[in-house]
Amino acid sequence: MQPTATVLVYSDDASTREQVRLAAGRRPAADVPAVRYLECATLPAVLRTLAEHHVDVCVLDGETAPAGGMGVCRQLKDEVFRCPPVLLLIGRPQDAWLATWSRADAAVTHPLDPVEFAAALAALLREAGRPQPVGCQDS
């Protein structure tokens, strides 16, 4: 297991980014590595961070403006080679279909339930930590 995992957190709201950090803590589950957070408030910062750093999981706020997390997720899935798994924060359970449209790997509703959020993040960190089978292509 790697010593730390890097989680990119995208929201234009500093309190939302703080809620993400506090909900998951330094280690969202005992069987995943400790987490280091990289915070971004704009789409250009997200793209720059993904280009310059290894990111294991992205957490995107669907309510961010002007570039909402759902559209950003879809863009990342289309444009970033080996895009890390994405956990999308949605405003209401009825928005789950939009999370599916955006091709998010998981979604949780905001305000965050710390137990639900930590479990979803840990599941994506486990997935990100698995080696790809030989000959397997990312889509």
Side-chain angles (χ1 to χ4, degrees), residues 15-139:
S15 66
T16 298
R17 296 191 307 267
E18 180 182 32
Q19 288 173 29
V20 165
R21 287 191 327 272
L22 293 174
R26 292 281 304 140
R27 178 171 260 151
D31 63 331
V32 298
V35 174
R36 172 178 76 119
Y37 296 98
L38 301 176
E39 296 184 30
C40 299
T42 65
L43 176 57
V46 169
L47 298 174
R48 185 174 49 255
T49 300
L50 286 170
E52 295 174 358
H53 300 276
H54 171 79
V55 172
D56 295 291
V57 174
C58 295
V59 177
L60 308 178
D61 180 2
E63 303 300 315
T64 295
M70 292 181 203
V72 170
C73 179
R74 190 161 175 101
Q75 179 179 348
L76 296 179
K77 293 293 186 171
D78 286 342
E79 297 177 4
V80 175
F81 180 67
R82 294 191 178 163
C83 181
V86 174
L87 175 54
L88 191 60
L89 308 180
I90 57 177
R92 8 174 243 149
Q94 297 88 338
D95 294 335
W97 74 272
L98 287 168
T100 301
W101 168 85
S102 72
R103 300 197 322 234
D105 298 280
V108 295
T109 56
H110 198 275
L112 297 179
D113 173 322
V115 173
E116 178 188 18
F117 179 77
L121 180 58
L124 293 180
L125 287 169
R126 286 182 201 104
E127 179 183 311
R130 284 193 202 116
Q132 289 281 330
V134 176
C136 185
Q137 301 253 341
D138 287 318
S139 51

